[in-house]
């Protein structure tokens, strides 16, 4: 996992909090000072929180687990979508789907329906319908994909959430807490960090701040995923090497058995031949 410096975080604008009148009292522990009416975030705590969260993401990936990234605010959508796709993470960037965690069975059915419709569109199953029906199906699929496209590959509930703006994504926080699902998040000076298992104190409004944090943890997840795949491939190769001598032995035994059978048949045939008597 690569290192990240305080200078990197400073240049990205991670230290800018909200105006002091908009602060949350429980955010006091990571506020460094007030400057020109703004709270300034302690970047040492930002870096510590980021590294801890990235380590957690990496461990989840190594165990074959997944994290759902949630970021529906305008300045975060593109950054999160790009990083999630690169790391192979599911994401929701248009809106939170109500009941995504607490009513997962219904959500899973909706995802299955979208994937079925996609398959039917590609394999020509829709050609049997009249044109106006096809147009209707296309419209329904596009509407569903706007919300579900980032989670279309999910087959089970995610193991954790990563949230960019706790205030905006309060519905996802409540569902995760109800299900006791771990939450990692960027926590600005206007939110309560005690709702989060893996808080990263930082500016959650500036694109630069969001990007440096999202990229770092997505890269950590991708690194853990690559380690797991390499380990699985190594184990598979080892298993194949172990099986090969047995395969050769079994094959040789089968050949010897077949040869003995042929020799025995020839001997039996020879014995059946009539013996010519000579004077």
């Amino acid at each position: 996992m690569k290192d990240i410096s305080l200078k990197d975080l400073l240049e990205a604008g991670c230290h800018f909090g909200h105006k002091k009148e908009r602060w949350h009292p429980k955010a006091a522990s990571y506020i460094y000072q007030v400057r020109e009416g703004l709270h300034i975030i302690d970047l040492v705590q930002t870096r510590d929180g980021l590294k801890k969260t990235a380590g957690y993401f990496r461990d989840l990936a190594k165990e074959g687990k997944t994290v759902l990234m949630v970021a529906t605010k305008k300045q975060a959508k593109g950054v999160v979508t790009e990083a999630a796709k690169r790391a192979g993470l599911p994401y929701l960037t248009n809106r939170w789907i109500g009941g995504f965690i607490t009513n997962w069975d219904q959500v899973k059915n909706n995802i299955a329906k979208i994937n079925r419709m996609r398959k039917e569109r590609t394999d020509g199953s829709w050609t049997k319908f009249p044109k106006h029906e096809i147009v209707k199906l296309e419209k329904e699929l596009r509407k569903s994909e706007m919300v579900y496209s980032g989670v279309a590959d999910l087959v089970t509930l995610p193991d954790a959430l990563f949230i960019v703006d706790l205030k905006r994504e309060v519905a996802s926080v409540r569902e995760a807490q109800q299900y006791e699902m771990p939450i990692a998040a960027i926590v600005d000076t206007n939110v309560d960090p005690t709702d989060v298992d893996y808080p990263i104190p930082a500016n959650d409004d500036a694109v630069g701040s969001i990007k440096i944090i999202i990229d770092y943890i997505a890269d950590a997840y991708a690194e853990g995923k690559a380690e797991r795949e390499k380990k699985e491939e190594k184990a598979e190769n080892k298993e194949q090497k172990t099986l090969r001598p047995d395969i050769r032995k079994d094959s040789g035994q089968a050949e010897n058995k077949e040869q003995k059978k042929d020799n025995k048949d020839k001997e039996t045939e020879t014995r059946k031949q009539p013996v010519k008597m000579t004077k």
Side-chain angles (χ1 to χ4, degrees):
M1 195 162 58
K2 66 179 182 179
D3 196 16
I4 190 163
S5 69
L6 297 180
K7 184 182 177 183
D8 294 331
L9 298 172
L10 183 70
E11 290 176 350
C14 295
H15 59 298
F16 291 118
H18 285 273
K19 291 181 179 179
K20 62 179 183 179
E21 58 267 22
R22 293 181 57 196
W23 79 313
H24 194 292
K26 290 186 178 179
S29 61
Y30 56 81
I31 293 175
Y32 177 66
Q33 63 177 214
V34 180
R35 187 184 301 166
E36 296 178 3
L38 285 179
H39 277 131
I40 303 301
I41 296 167
D42 182 358
L43 289 180
V44 173
Q45 294 192 56
T46 303
R47 183 176 61 181
D48 291 346
L50 181 55
K51 285 187 172 182
K52 185 178 179 181
T53 305
Y56 174 59
F57 269 49
R58 181 178 171 180
D59 289 344
L60 285 176
K62 286 167 72 174
E63 294 168 11
K65 297 180 179 179
T66 190
V67 181
L68 174 63
M69 305 192 84
V70 185
T72 61
K73 66 196 304 179
K74 185 179 179 181
Q75 56 268 53
K77 286 183 180 184
V79 172
V80 170
T81 300
E82 182 184 343
K85 284 182 177 179
R86 184 176 70 249
L89 283 164
Y91 60 92
L92 288 173
T93 53
N94 282 304
R95 68 173 178 84
W96 174 255
I97 300 167
F100 190 91
I101 297 172
T102 54
N103 192 21
W104 167 247
D105 287 340
Q106 181 58 49
V107 172
K108 186 168 67 172
N109 289 339
N110 293 341
I111 292 172
K113 182 182 177 183
I114 290 169
N115 289 327
R116 186 176 66 251
M117 289 178 73
R118 282 176 169 178
K119 183 177 180 296
E120 290 171 350
R121 180 181 58 182
T122 4
D123 67 14
S125 298
W126 286 1
T127 54
K128 63 184 177 184
F129 298 120
K131 188 175 180 180
H132 71 276
E133 285 292 337
I134 295 174
V135 171
K136 187 178 176 181
L137 286 168
E138 287 279 7
K139 186 178 178 181
E140 182 186 349
L141 182 56
R142 280 197 305 270
K143 188 177 177 182
S144 298
E145 283 182 326
M146 285 181 65
V147 181
Y148 285 92
S149 60
V151 292
D153 293 331
L154 268 182
V155 291
T156 60
L157 265 175
D159 298 284
L161 289 188
F162 182 87
I163 300 171
V164 170
D165 187 328
L166 284 175
K167 277 201 141 186
R168 186 181 182 93
E169 315 300 347
V170 64
S172 63
V173 174
R174 286 173 181 163
E175 286 197 37
Q177 287 175 329
Q178 187 176 338
Y179 198 78
E180 297 184 352
M181 182 180 291
I183 300 172
I186 301 175
V187 291
D188 212 326
T189 57
N190 64 335
V191 297
D192 181 0
T194 58
D195 291 335
V196 181
D197 302 282
Y198 294 88
I200 305 170
N203 181 346
D204 67 2
D205 292 309
V207 176
S209 175
I210 296 169
K211 181 172 174 55
I212 195 171
I213 290 169
I214 293 296
D215 284 348
Y216 191 82
I217 60 175
D219 288 347
Y221 184 88
E223 187 178 320
K225 187 178 178 182
E227 285 183 36
R228 176 172 57 85
E229 290 172 351
K230 188 176 180 181
K231 186 178 179 181
E232 287 174 352
E233 184 182 353
K234 190 176 179 181
E236 187 179 344
N237 290 339
K238 187 178 179 181
E239 186 180 354
Q240 287 177 353
K241 286 179 181 178
T242 306
L243 289 173
R244 278 171 193 157
D246 294 337
I247 293 169
R248 286 197 299 267
K249 184 180 177 182
D250 292 345
S251 176
Q253 287 176 346
E255 286 177 7
N256 290 337
K257 190 175 180 181
E258 188 65 30
Q259 185 64 44
K260 287 178 181 179
K261 184 176 181 299
D262 288 345
N263 292 340
K264 188 176 180 181
D265 290 344
K266 286 179 181 177
E267 184 180 347
T268 304
E269 189 64 29
T270 304
R271 287 178 179 176
K272 287 181 181 179
Q273 294 294 328
V275 178
K276 293 182 179 181
M277 302 297 293
T278 55
K279 289 183 180 180

